[in-house]
């Protein structure tokens, strides 16, 4: 609209409490990324009367919760009215929004490993100064050139039978913490750990050669679990 948000809603300057703006608001969030996918699911699941969704594209909801269409169908079959208003995908505003948010692809970033030739999610070992999310951010940057923001947790994978023997003689028992994330910047750049980087659609995953542990993590993501997998 070409107006500053505080010009449209002056109450936002006075207080960040939702009730100060409107008694109908439960909470306010500065950024969409501040709202977890589980919160959207928890809001939509118990709906009985009506669900209204007004968005540019809502791709982020499908990426964070792939069962969104199924959930909306279930609510509609239960008698809940569903209204969804989205922007025209060909309009300049929606295309600009996609560029700004680096969203709208609905695809998953994979790398073809240089050491095995298999496709895998970007990732690597922690350093002493890393937090778990910080490790994910650093490794993705090193291996793909992209800046990311972690937005959720797919699961933990600690099967004691997952032992890897490398060609240089190293043998290790490996565990994985798999995060959801969105791209915030950077440019794709292949590192010496991979031979190819590619954003792939879920439909393409079955044709790619990858370790069964990688496929398990992707399956759990695509299932749109309400809680992270713990294993």
């Amino acid at each position: 609209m070409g107006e500053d948000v505080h010009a449209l809603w002056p109450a936002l300057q006075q207080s960040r409490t939702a009730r100060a703006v409107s008694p109908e608001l439960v909470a306010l969030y500065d950024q969409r990324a501040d709202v977890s996918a589980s919160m959207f699911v928890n809001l939509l699941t118990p709906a009985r009367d009506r669900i209204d969704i007004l968005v540019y594209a809502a791709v982020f909801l499908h990426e964070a919760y792939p069962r969104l269409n199924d959930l909306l169908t279930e609510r509609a079959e239960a008698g809940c009215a569903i209204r969804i208003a989205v922007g025209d995908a060909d309009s300049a505003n929606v295309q600009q929004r996609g560029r700004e948010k680096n969203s709208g692809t609905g695809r998953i970033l994979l790398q073809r490993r240089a050491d095995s030739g298999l496709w895998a999610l970007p990732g690597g070992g922690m350093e002493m100064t890393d937090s778990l999310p910080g490790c994910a951010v650093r490794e993705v940057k090193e291996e793909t050139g992209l800046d990311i923001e972690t937005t959720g947790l797919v699961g933990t994978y600690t099967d004691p039978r997952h032992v890897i023997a490398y060609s240089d003689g190293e043998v290790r028992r490996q565990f994985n913490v798999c995060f959801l994330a969105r791209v915030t910047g950077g440019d794709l750049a292949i590192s010496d750990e991979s031979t190819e980087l590619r954003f792939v659609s879920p439909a393409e995953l079955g044709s790619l050669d990858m370790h069964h542990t990688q496929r398990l993590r992707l399956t759990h993501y695509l299932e749109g679990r309400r809680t992270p997998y713990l294993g």
Side-chain angles (χ1 to χ4, degrees), residues 32 35 37 40 55-65 68 103-104:
R32 187 197 70 208
V35 185
F40 281 107
V55 288
Y56 273 95
V59 173
F60 74 94
L61 274 175
H62 289 88
E63 292 175 342
Y65 187 68
L68 177 64
S103 63

Side-chain angles (χ1 to χ4, degrees), residues 27 29 31-47 50-55 58-68 71-72 75 97 151 224-226:
Y29 298 89
Q31 303 292 331
R32 187 197 70 208
D34 294 336
V35 185
S36 66
S38 62
M39 185 174 295
F40 281 107
V41 174
N42 291 338
L43 284 171
L44 298 176
T45 299
R50 189 177 71 193
I51 294 175
D52 293 336
I53 301 176
L54 174 63
V55 288
V59 173
F60 74 94
L61 274 175
H62 289 88
E63 292 175 342
Y65 187 68
R67 284 198 66 254
L68 177 64
L71 174 57
L72 294 177
R75 292 295 83 225
R97 180 73 169 184
T151 59
R225 291 166 172 256
R226 296 185 182 181

Side-chain angles (χ1 to χ4, degrees), residues 172-192:
R172 69 170 68 161
R173 176 194 163 190
Q174 185 162 309
F175 72 91
N176 177 271
V177 179
C178 187
F179 289 97
L180 290 167
R182 69 181 186 93
V183 177
T184 60
D187 297 296
L188 273 180
I190 296 176
S191 73
D192 57 5

Side-chain angles (χ1 to χ4, degrees), residues 107-114 117-123 139-148 183 185-201 204 208:
R107 297 176 294 169
I108 302 166
L109 177 60
L110 296 178
Q111 61 176 334
R112 189 194 291 271
R113 300 278 312 174
L118 299 177
W119 287 94
L121 293 161
E139 284 290 339
V140 171
K141 182 65 173 180
E142 291 176 359
E143 296 185 356
T144 73
L146 296 178
D147 301 309
I148 65 164
V183 177
D187 297 296
L188 273 180
I190 296 176
S191 73
D192 57 5
E193 296 187 36
S194 62
T195 60
E196 186 177 354
L197 295 171
R198 187 195 304 177
F199 281 97
V200 303
S201 68
E204 296 176 83
L208 299 179

Side-chain angles (χ1 to χ4, degrees), residues 155-166:
T156 61
Y157 302 84
T158 61
D159 186 344
R161 297 169 297 177
H162 188 194
V163 178
I164 299 176
Y166 290 90

